[in-house]
Amino acid sequence: MASEDITKLAESLAKTKVGGGQLSFKGQSLKLNTAEDAEEVIKQIEEFDGLEALRLEGNTVGVEAAKVIAKALEKKSELKRCHWSDMFTGRLRSEIPPALISLGDALITAGAQLVELDLSDNAFGPDGVRGFEALLKSPACYTLQELKLNNCGMGIGGGKILAAALKEGHRKSSAQGKPLALKIFVAGRNRLENDGATALAEAFGIIGTLEEVHMPQNGINHPGITALAQAFAINPLLKVINLNDNTFTEKGAVAMAETLKALRQVEVINFGDCLVRSKGAVAIADAVKEGLHKLKELNLSFCEIKRDAALTVAEAIEDKATLEKLDLNGNCLGEEGCEQLQEILEGFSMAAVLGSLSDDEGEEEDDEEEEEDEDEEEEEEEEEEEEEEEQEQEQLKERGPGEQESVTPKKIIDSQDSTPVPSPPVDVATFLAFPSPEKLLRLGPKCSVLIAQQTDTSDVEKVVTTLLRISSVFKDEAPVKTAVHETTDALMSKAFTSATFNSDAFVTSLLIHMGLLKSEEKIKAVPSLYGILMTLNHMVQQDYFPKSLAPVLSAFVTKPNRALDSCSFARHMLLQTLHQL
């Protein structure tokens, strides 16, 4: 390490905040690659008596540096709080699990009893969860009260590993007479989807001590929401439920409303941007009216709620003396509806709790058409759910007698017997019209060839549309990921090798459909960029991809964008790959 670097590091460490048992290197942008780089940090740790909290946020720690820091932590038995968010900036994904394993093993060796573990904003993906899986199962985490894993890109696979670790930790700690009593769980922006959320719901139901759950922006639909609702019902101490920006629909909203009726301590409900719609909002209003006397905040913004349902919500809060905020912005009230809403609240002397209505969408005119659209969406969801149940039945048949998955006695997931029915045949047109992972897999091993053959690659718009529909079903699970990659390769290799295919027009159209480039025509951007970003991360590494397009993609993916911010893990992966080309 150069002398000037050591001087710079020493100056930075001089600003280290110490107090109340806490040693903080927060936000110092330390680049700790080798054991030598970490010498000053280690010295501070070793000399700190009674270390209870260690802050490493806003730095970057490599594998070798993590090993020597871990060695210093092996003697810190009083450590209770690990604030380790955003501590792997610029690291390869493969570096993070071994670094976490070293640090976790040190805490176990030290005999620490953690109260808080924060690993948020570390893009470690599903594999990264393996890095602290052993720690969660160990006595070091039997005392854990706060687990924060926001924006880590865990995916479905990571969610399942995490859930299994929490259940095992609870089992082991219970055997010692001190069951794991987790209070705060944070895992927003992780693409957990239904399967990841359902796995975690089972763990939540077993734990039963949660006070706050924050799981926004996870791509969870009504099956996952229903599983979470059932789990929340047996966590009577819940105060904060934040599921912002998932997709409840009426089914999920009704299930959650039933749970809210059973809870008595809830203070904050954040179901904003969750598509609860009018029927779901009325069900939630009924739950609010019947109880929830400690409610401080209710967020049902941007949920496609119409005027009458919104007014029902307003009427439900009449006796909620502790309410501080009601957010109904971005719904479909219309000017008259907004005025009526304010009048109702003024009648309760509660006008001050109402948030802004500046983004109201206006009153819907064609109600019948919207109801038909809702019915069609519900039917599609039911078809996909039936397909998933059929797959589960097949998996159960394939297992031996003693290999059935255990079901928690609290019945988080319904497991009613059902007679499997033959799956309807799927063709390319059906898949492209209503894409789902199950339909792609049911197209069979020749799905990539079939889709490529039936796509006119001389038409740039058709190629872009087909690519977006393929990528929309991307999952971290191996069969789906492989099918998406193979289908993408077949389509795009055919397109890019065609003499009539315009690569520049393709990337322009793709950026427009992703909402990253404005167009004179009104084109609706895809609802989520996660799938296409992960698919592009694979695509740009292939020989058929013109490397001249990489700088264009990099420039637009780097720009500030709300949709990209919600997929930070996938964005980071793509940018890292593009920079290496």
Side-chain angles (χ1 to χ4, degrees):
M1 192 181 215
S3 59
E4 58 268 24
D5 292 332
I6 294 174
T7 302
K8 183 178 178 181
L9 178 58
E11 290 174 353
S12 180
L13 291 173
K15 301 174 184 176
T16 299
K17 294 179 181 178
V18 178
Q22 174 174 284
L23 177 60
S24 175
F25 303 98
K26 182 178 179 180
Q28 295 183 16
S29 301
L30 303 177
K31 296 180 180 179
L32 308 178
N33 298 316
T34 65
E36 185 183 3
D37 294 340
E39 283 179 358
E40 289 293 332
V41 173
I42 294 165
K43 183 181 177 183
Q44 294 271 359
I45 292 172
E46 289 177 339
E47 293 178 353
F48 197 110
D49 292 329
L51 180 63
E52 294 184 7
L54 178 62
R55 307 196 76 104
L56 292 173
E57 312 104 305
N59 300 290
T60 178
V61 181
V63 176
E64 292 305 313
K67 286 181 180 178
V68 292
I69 291 172
K71 195 69 178 174
L73 290 175
E74 287 181 357
K75 298 178 182 178
K76 300 298 175 182
S77 61
E78 296 179 23
L79 188 62
K80 292 181 174 63
R81 298 184 182 275
C82 297
H83 302 280
W84 294 350
S85 64
D86 188 23
M87 59 178 269
F88 296 110
T89 304
R91 299 289 167 187
L92 294 175
R93 186 165 158 182
S94 59
E95 292 181 85
I96 302 176
L100 287 173
I101 288 170
S102 296
L103 294 167
D105 287 349
L107 298 176
I108 296 170
T109 301
Q113 293 187 316
L114 295 186
V115 172
E116 179 179 0
L117 177 61
D118 186 355
L119 293 170
S120 299
D121 299 315
N122 290 310
F124 48 61
D127 296 338
V129 185
R130 295 284 187 198
F132 58 94
E133 177 185 17
L135 175 63
L136 288 178
K137 295 177 181 179
S138 76
C141 283
Y142 289 177
T143 52
L144 194 65
Q145 295 180 12
E146 300 180 30
L147 179 58
K148 300 174 182 178
L149 300 166
N150 202 55
N151 193 31
C152 291
M154 289 190 291
I156 294 171
K160 289 181 176 180
I161 297 168
L162 175 62
L166 289 172
K167 288 191 289 184
E168 182 67 5
H170 185 273
R171 184 188 69 78
K172 288 183 174 180
S173 58
S174 297
Q176 298 292 321
K178 295 182 179 180
L180 171 66
L182 192 66
K183 293 181 179 180
I184 298 174
F185 179 83
V186 181
R189 294 185 177 184
N190 271 293
R191 295 303 303 175
L192 294 169
E193 301 184 16
N194 290 332
D195 290 348
T198 298
L200 285 166
E202 187 169 350
F204 295 163
I206 291 170
I207 293 169
T209 56
L210 289 167
E211 295 181 10
E212 295 186 20
V213 175
H214 302 264
M215 296 173 66
Q217 294 185 357
N218 268 300
I220 308 171
N221 299 325
H222 73 79
I225 296 297
T226 300
L228 287 171
Q230 292 170 344
F232 292 166
I234 41 183
N235 279 265
L237 302 177
L238 266 175
K239 296 179 181 178
V240 179
I241 305 175
N242 176 8
L243 295 174
N244 188 283
D245 200 6
N246 289 291
T247 308
F248 281 43
T249 64
E250 179 190 340
K251 287 185 177 180
V254 169
M256 195 60 70
E258 287 302 308
T259 285
L260 291 175
K261 291 178 182 178
L263 298 175
R264 295 288 179 266
Q265 306 300 320
V266 175
E267 297 177 1
V268 177
I269 297 171
N270 186 345
F271 297 159
D273 205 9
C274 281
L275 204 67
V276 303
R277 295 200 173 108
S278 295
K279 291 180 181 177
V282 170
I284 292 169
D286 288 343
V288 171
K289 190 170 185 177
E290 287 183 21
L292 301 181
H293 296 294
K294 296 183 179 181
L295 190 64
K296 293 180 180 179
E297 181 177 335
L298 176 60
N299 184 347
L300 294 175
S301 59
F302 299 93
C303 281
E304 292 191 6
I305 300 170
K306 297 179 190 175
R307 179 181 62 181
D308 290 348
L311 298 181
T312 301
V313 172
E315 290 167 350
I317 68 167
E318 181 177 3
D319 63 344
K320 301 296 174 274
T322 59
L323 193 72
E324 298 171 1
K325 184 178 180 181
L326 172 64
D327 193 345
L328 288 168
N329 199 19
N331 287 300
C332 310
L333 281 67
E335 186 176 347
E336 184 179 344
C338 290
E339 291 176 357
Q340 289 177 324
L341 182 65
Q342 290 167 331
E343 287 173 5
I344 288 173
L345 294 174
E346 284 172 1
F348 305 152
S349 299
M350 296 180 71
V353 306
L354 182 63
S356 169
L357 297 173
S358 60
D359 293 317
D360 186 73
E361 296 287 341
E363 194 165 7
E364 292 286 345
E365 295 180 2
D366 195 349
D367 291 345
E368 291 182 4
E369 183 177 335
E370 184 184 68
E371 290 294 334
E372 288 174 5
D373 290 343
E374 289 180 20
D375 292 340
E376 288 174 4
E377 288 177 19
E378 290 288 335
E379 287 172 7
E380 290 167 22
E381 289 175 359
E382 287 170 5
E383 287 173 4
E384 290 181 16
E385 190 175 359
E386 287 170 4
E387 290 167 8
E388 291 172 3
E389 289 173 358
E390 288 162 16
Q391 284 188 334
E392 289 171 4
Q393 292 290 336
E394 290 301 319
Q395 290 170 0
L396 288 171
K397 286 181 181 179
E398 290 170 4
R399 295 195 187 104
E403 297 175 45
Q404 305 292 343
E405 289 185 0
S406 63
V407 179
T408 171
K410 293 173 182 175
K411 295 183 181 177
I412 302 306
I413 313 302
D414 292 334
S415 56
Q416 298 175 350
D417 292 332
S418 60
T419 303
V421 295
S423 300
V426 174
D427 55 20
V428 171
T430 302
F431 166 73
L432 293 176
F434 302 103
S436 75
E438 294 76 20
K439 290 190 181 80
L440 181 62
L441 294 176
R442 280 166 52 198
L443 280 172
K446 294 185 178 180
C447 64
S448 57
V449 176
L450 292 171
I451 291 176
Q453 284 177 345
Q454 296 185 37
T455 303
D456 180 5
T457 52
S458 64
D459 187 331
V460 166
E461 282 299 311
K462 285 186 179 178
V463 173
V464 169
T465 302
T466 302
L467 174 63
L468 289 170
R469 288 179 179 172
I470 294 167
S471 65
S472 70
V473 306
F474 179 91
K475 285 187 176 182
D476 287 313
E477 296 174 347
V480 178
K481 181 194 284 189
T482 300
V484 169
H485 286 173
E486 289 179 350
T487 309
T488 298
D489 290 342
L491 172 68
M492 297 314 303
S493 60
K494 178 185 175 185
F496 283 125
T497 55
S498 170
T500 58
F501 188 70
N502 187 327
S503 298
D504 291 334
F506 164 77
V507 77
T508 300
S509 176
L510 180 62
L511 291 168
I512 290 171
H513 282 274
M514 290 173 69
L516 306 182
L517 183 64
K518 290 184 178 180
S519 169
E520 293 180 1
E521 299 178 19
K522 191 174 182 181
I523 295 176
K524 188 176 181 180
V526 292
S528 171
L529 294 181
Y530 180 79
I532 185 61
L533 289 172
M534 294 299 284
T535 303
L536 282 171
N537 184 55
H538 166 81
M539 197 171 96
V540 299
Q541 299 177 62
Q542 309 310 308
D543 292 338
Y544 60 74
F545 182 78
K547 299 301 183 278
S548 60
L549 299 181
V552 180
L553 277 178
S554 182
F556 280 91
V557 176
T558 305
K559 288 183 178 180
N561 182 282
R562 183 181 174 186
L564 286 170
D565 289 343
S566 67
C567 304
S568 58
F569 169 73
R571 179 193 208 176
H572 169 77
M573 292 289 291
L574 176 57
L575 287 173
Q576 192 174 54
T577 301
L578 289 170
H579 290 156
Q580 292 172 354
L581 292 178

